Amino acid sequence: AQSVSQHNHHVILSEAASLELGCNYSYGGTVNLFWYVQYPGQHLQLLLKYFSGDPLVKGIKGFEAEFIKSKFSFNLRKPSVQWSDTAEYFCAVILDTGRRALTFGSGTRLQVQP
Amino acid sequence: DTGVSQDPRHKITKRGQNVTFRCDPISEHNRLYWYRQTLGQGPEFLTYFQNEAQLEKSRLLSDRFSAERPKGSFSTLEIQRTEQGDSAMYLCASSFSRGKSGANVLTFGAGSRLTVL
């Protein structure tokens, strides 16, 4: 069963537009949540993470994400995108089932046009 | 330099041949993970080690696949009798985590791309 859903498969924005990428997970227990980014030709890099505490987490390069437990969501946001944000973005989750491996969503390809 | 090294970066092989990939994790990391990523998909979990112990294997890991981490440092992933469906990027990641519920942040390598002709 898919634990992580990313509904936007491909998003095209102009520079300076605001970004919100959706991520939902299907698990009622405790979760650790992550966003990873993969720039063209590069390896996966951690963008931000949520373990506990303040549900609004800030990451690198001006990205932030909000954990809304009631909606099982962890959406990624950026107020103003740049051409250099063109990349694939993956939401991932670790469940508190004892398994300590990340489960990834299928990814969202973001294309920012100059 | 990500700190997690994978070798080779690219491998082209003919169907039926065996291939082996190597991963060198960040030195102080006790956990090591293997994932597979195909085009347009997110990485799929294959297996992971805590130190030298292989703690979990995915159903994706058929009996043609075997992974080892003999001394709790580097790891190898071997695919025997490769099939065209094995063509993918094989990713290695490592992390340091205390216990089952400790915070666990994975650092990924650049991956080994396998093409089976």
Side-chain angles (χ1 to χ4, degrees), chain A residues 71-106:
Chain A
K71 295 185 178 180
F72 300 92
S73 71
F74 190 56
N75 292 355
L76 181 70
R77 300 194 292 248
K78 185 170 184 179
S80 175
V81 294
Q82 300 172 319
W83 177 79
S84 58
D85 293 324
T86 295
E88 186 127 25
Y89 293 81
F90 294 95
C91 182
V93 59
I94 292 180
L95 311 179
D96 70 345
T97 57
R99 182 206 220 204
R100 301 307 296 166
L102 282 168
T103 300
F104 283 87
S106 56

Side-chain angles (χ1 to χ4, degrees), chain A:
Chain A
Q2 178 72 5
S3 297
V4 184
S5 298
Q6 293 182 247
H7 304 294
N8 313 105
H9 297 295
H10 188 193
V11 173
I12 302 174
L13 295 174
S14 298
E15 276 193 313
S18 64
L19 170 72
E20 181 160 2
L21 301 182
C23 173
N24 288 89
Y25 62 94
S26 51
Y27 180 71
T30 302
V31 292
N32 296 155
L33 295 157
F34 305 79
W35 277 96
Y36 278 82
V37 61
Q38 191 167 31
Y39 297 103
Q42 296 190 27
H43 62 279
L44 279 164
Q45 301 173 38
L46 180 68
L47 205 52
L48 48 77
K49 61 187 184 293
Y50 172 80
F51 292 138
S52 63
D54 188 345
L56 183 63
V57 292
K58 296 192 183 299
I60 60 171
K61 303 186 180 184
F63 286 90
E64 64 179 31
E66 185 174 13
F67 170 52
I68 303 179
K69 189 173 181 180
S70 60
K71 295 185 178 180
F72 300 92
S73 71
F74 190 56
N75 292 355
L76 181 70
R77 300 194 292 248
K78 185 170 184 179
S80 175
V81 294
Q82 300 172 319
W83 177 79
S84 58
D85 293 324
T86 295
E88 186 127 25
Y89 293 81
F90 294 95
C91 182
V93 59
I94 292 180
L95 311 179
D96 70 345
T97 57
R99 182 206 220 204
R100 301 307 296 166
L102 282 168
T103 300
F104 283 87
S106 56
T108 297
R109 187 156 70 95
L110 172 66
Q111 188 177 342
V112 180
Q113 296 177 332

Side-chain angles (χ1 to χ4, degrees), chain B residues 5-6 16 40 43 53-54 58 60 65 82 84 86 94 96 102 105 114:
Chain B
S5 300
Q6 292 190 245
Q54 190 173 17
S58 161
L60 294 174
F65 288 70
T82 52
Q84 287 183 325
D86 297 331
S94 68
F96 177 78
V105 179
L114 173 65

Side-chain angles (χ1 to χ4, degrees), chain B residues 22-86:
Chain B
R22 176 182 169 120
C23 172
D24 287 90
I26 292 172
S27 58
E28 60 267 27
H29 284 183
N30 58 350
R31 288 185 176 161
L32 187 147
Y33 300 78
W34 285 100
Y35 282 81
R36 182 176 72 185
Q37 186 177 20
T38 53
L39 200 62
Q41 298 297 317
E44 297 171 294
F45 170 75
L46 293 178
T47 188
Y48 92 96
F49 295 83
Q50 176 144 329
N51 301 312
E52 66 276 6
Q54 190 173 17
L55 295 188
E56 186 177 348
K57 292 192 289 186
S58 161
R59 285 191 300 271
L60 294 174
L61 214 65
S62 75
D63 55 7
R64 297 185 297 105
F65 288 70
S66 62
E68 293 183 342
R69 194 184 184 198
K71 296 181 180 179
S73 56
F74 74 91
S75 175
T76 58
L77 176 69
E78 181 183 14
I79 309 174
Q80 295 182 324
R81 305 181 303 281
T82 52
E83 302 173 355
Q84 287 183 325
D86 297 331

